[in-house]
Amino acid sequence: MLVVGGVFVSVPVFLGRLGMSWDSLNHQVYLGWQAQASRFDEDYMAASLQSYQYPYLYWPLYALTALGVSGRVAGVVLALLHLVVIPPVWLIARTLIPGAGWRQTVFRVSGVLMSFMSILVLKSFEVPGNDLLAAAPLLFALAIALPACSKFLDGARRTSLRSAGYAGFWAGVSVAFKLSNAYSAIFLPVLFLMAANDSPLRERVRCSIACYVLMLIGFVGAYGYWGYRLFQEFGSPLFPFWGG
């Protein structure tokens, strides 16, 4: 956490600022404002179609902007929020690279560091965005699903309804945060069908179904309030993504 967190924070500290991307100027700050104070009676399509994206993950950006803090301070605060993605990546690495020896530990640490060294990830600390925060629940879902579905882990566990349910729930939350996460989340239950352990087919099917069911519950639980507000205003919980 300390090492990777240091990498996150070093970007805005080194730059001395936080850049405002096209998305930041056109909808991200506005969405944070919408999260804090409803604008439905004031604006219509204020930030084009993006006015109606899930707004709550953008609230920290709006709050920092409203407070007028420096770009460096804002960058550090937002970078620290992204520490939430480190534990699931470590858990995934621990599953795929098992063992307690120093060699395995070095491989795991190296794998985690490399996973955050992509220019796409590092660039996200130069400008504000919610992509990593929205991905965190999906990463946790994968971290929960992999040990129950593989023999990478020493003494692989049998698939269980509990692990399938937890994985599905967090995958559903990630879809609520960012609808495009559905392209990845929809395949998560397939892992339970492909489990490389001694679980019988019937149990694997039950786990896969449980994963889908809890995914729906997770989505409704996280998206429900925002979807209800959109439904009240426009008659569609996904306005304007669906419908006229």
Side-chain angles (χ1 to χ4, degrees):
M1 290 286 285
L2 289 174
V3 173
V4 181
V7 173
F8 289 3
V9 170
S10 69
V11 176
V13 169
F14 174 77
L15 293 175
R17 59 172 174 78
L18 181 67
M20 298 297 281
S21 66
W22 185 95
D23 288 334
S24 306
L25 295 174
N26 283 276
H27 70 270
Q28 289 176 348
V29 176
Y30 178 81
L31 284 171
W33 189 13
Q34 174 74 279
Q36 177 169 312
S38 175
R39 303 290 305 171
F40 288 134
D41 59 339
E42 302 287 343
D43 305 321
Y44 180 73
M45 291 285 190
S48 188
L49 300 181
Q50 289 95 336
S51 302
Y52 309 104
Q53 289 180 346
Y54 191 83
Y56 303 111
L57 294 184
Y58 291 110
W59 180 82
L61 172 61
Y62 167 74
L64 292 167
T65 304
L67 288 172
V69 302
S70 69
R72 175 175 285 170
V73 171
V76 169
V77 171
L78 294 175
L80 290 175
L81 292 179
H82 288 91
L83 294 181
V84 69
V85 301
I86 301 175
V89 174
W90 170 261
L91 291 173
I92 292 170
R94 192 180 67 177
T95 299
L96 299 179
I97 310 173
W102 67 267
R103 183 190 297 267
Q104 290 87 346
T105 301
V106 169
F107 282 154
R108 282 193 293 269
V109 172
S110 301
V112 172
L113 287 173
M114 289 173 64
S115 70
F116 291 112
M117 287 301 178
S118 163
I119 188 61
L120 291 174
V121 176
L122 293 178
K123 193 74 174 176
S124 66
F125 299 108
E126 181 183 1
V127 295
N130 74 339
D131 297 276
L132 286 182
L133 288 178
L138 188 59
L139 289 170
F140 271 108
L142 191 60
I144 294 169
L146 279 178
C149 301
S150 71
K151 281 194 173 181
F152 290 110
L153 196 66
D154 294 337
R157 298 191 297 272
R158 291 168 62 92
T159 54
S160 69
L161 286 174
R162 178 177 295 181
S163 60
Y166 285 149
F169 178 84
W170 288 115
V173 170
S174 76
V175 176
F177 288 170
K178 200 174 189 67
L179 294 178
S180 58
N181 283 343
Y183 293 117
S184 301
I186 198 69
F187 293 106
L188 185 69
V190 177
L191 286 177
F192 292 94
L193 290 176
M194 300 171 60
N197 53 35
D198 57 355
S199 299
L201 178 61
R202 183 176 180 179
E203 182 176 345
R204 284 183 277 161
V205 170
R206 289 177 60 207
C207 289
S208 182
I209 294 173
C211 189
Y212 273 122
V213 171
L214 268 294
M215 191 182 300
L216 178 61
I217 292 175
F219 173 79
V220 173
Y223 190 82
Y225 176 66
W226 178 244
Y228 174 71
R229 291 181 61 195
L230 292 183
F231 182 80
Q232 281 186 313
E233 298 292 333
F234 307 110
S236 169
L238 293 174
F239 180 89
F241 303 105
W242 286 351

